[in-house]
Amino acid sequence: VHEVELSGLQPATRYQYRIQTGEVVDGPYVFRTLPAPEDEATIRLVASSDMQRDDARPELFDELIAEGVVPFMTAEFGPNLEEAIDALLIPGDLVDNGWIYEEWEIDFFAAAAEVLSAVPVYPVPGNHEAGSFYFFRYFNLPANGFDEHWYHTDLSNVRLIGLDSNGGHKGSEQLSWLDVVLASTCDAEHVDFVVAQLHHPYRSEVWTPGNTDWTG
């Protein structure tokens, strides 16, 4: 797993990049930086959750990406994914069993490679990640919360807050952190919108076992 920090990037700018491991080189690929907050430009977010493999429909996530997200967004907003989508949000259950490497490799990363190579992704853990180290190894999330379980980041003038609603983390510590973040957000002149994501709903007709008063 490689981690590279890029600096000196300009806002709203397309950059080409390649990946090299030993003598193996892949690319080029393209990504685009976010616009400056003061520009108040349109931000397009795609949210998808619970894409863990279902044996009854094992290719569903592949279809969602290849036949849904990619053709729809490029038809609506131009042929380049990095221009059409600013970020991908995933509120949990990226794989069926977070402790099985092949599920990350095949069921998630291979299926979404076309989008993930061009668009930043911000996930939060669901119950199917089961606290696996793979989740925290594969995503470099903002370190302003608790060990990447919860965090916040600004996407231009949109503040994204990611929360961990799994057992063991549904406590007062995270809620106190959230209170502080929301208070500071109210004082942040560059923030015009706030989006929060977490896995367990407060009330849901579809997944009643996942309801949690903590979320409310």
Side-chain angles (χ1 to χ4, degrees):
V1 175
H2 298 271
E3 184 175 310
V4 179
E5 181 176 349
L6 304 178
S7 60
L9 303 179
Q10 300 300 309
T13 303
R14 296 174 75 245
Y15 290 91
Q16 281 193 340
Y17 71 97
R18 294 187 300 174
I19 300 171
Q20 181 171 347
T21 301
E23 296 181 356
V24 178
V25 179
D26 196 16
Y29 298 105
V30 178
F31 70 89
R32 179 177 60 91
T33 53
L34 289 161
E38 59 268 21
D39 293 338
E40 298 188 346
T42 297
I43 297 293
R44 285 184 288 269
L45 307 176
V46 172
S48 176
S49 73
D50 296 77
M51 64 280 294
Q52 72 268 29
R53 179 186 172 94
D54 182 348
D55 288 338
R57 300 190 64 185
E59 304 300 325
L60 187 59
F61 184 46
D62 303 69
E63 295 173 6
L64 173 68
I65 296 295
E67 301 176 22
V69 172
V70 172
F72 177 82
M73 296 302 288
T74 53
E76 290 286 322
F77 306 111
N80 299 318
L81 276 175
E82 73 277 2
E83 301 281 353
I85 306 172
D86 289 288
L88 175 64
L89 313 183
I90 307 181
D93 284 4
L94 289 71
V95 295
D96 186 56
N97 185 337
W99 290 94
I100 299 178
Y101 165 78
E102 288 77 13
E103 294 193 8
W104 290 100
E105 178 192 19
I106 299 170
D107 298 343
F108 180 73
F109 284 110
E114 185 175 3
V115 175
L116 297 177
S117 63
V119 177
V121 57
Y122 294 95
V124 295
N127 54 293
H128 278 266
E129 275 68 61
S132 166
F133 75 94
Y134 283 121
F135 177 90
F136 302 100
R137 183 184 184 193
Y138 289 146
F139 302 103
N140 184 350
L141 300 171
N144 49 27
F146 173 74
D147 287 348
E148 299 182 309
H149 284 272
W150 54 85
Y151 61 88
H152 70 86
T153 190
D154 292 343
L155 310 174
S156 188
N157 62 337
V158 179
R159 176 152 294 179
L160 171 66
I161 301 175
L163 303 170
D164 187 342
S165 56
N166 290 283
H169 295 286
K170 295 185 298 184
S172 59
E173 179 183 3
Q174 188 174 178
L175 294 181
S176 297
W177 172 87
L178 179 60
D179 285 339
V180 173
V181 171
L182 292 175
S184 66
T185 301
C186 291
D187 297 328
E189 294 184 1
H190 70 281
V191 177
D192 296 317
F193 303 95
V194 177
V195 175
Q197 63 170 350
L198 73 170
H199 187 66
H200 295 80
Y202 176 50
R203 289 287 181 263
S204 169
E205 293 181 356
V206 179
W207 186 40
T208 53
N211 292 347
T212 168
D213 290 337
W214 182 87
T215 299

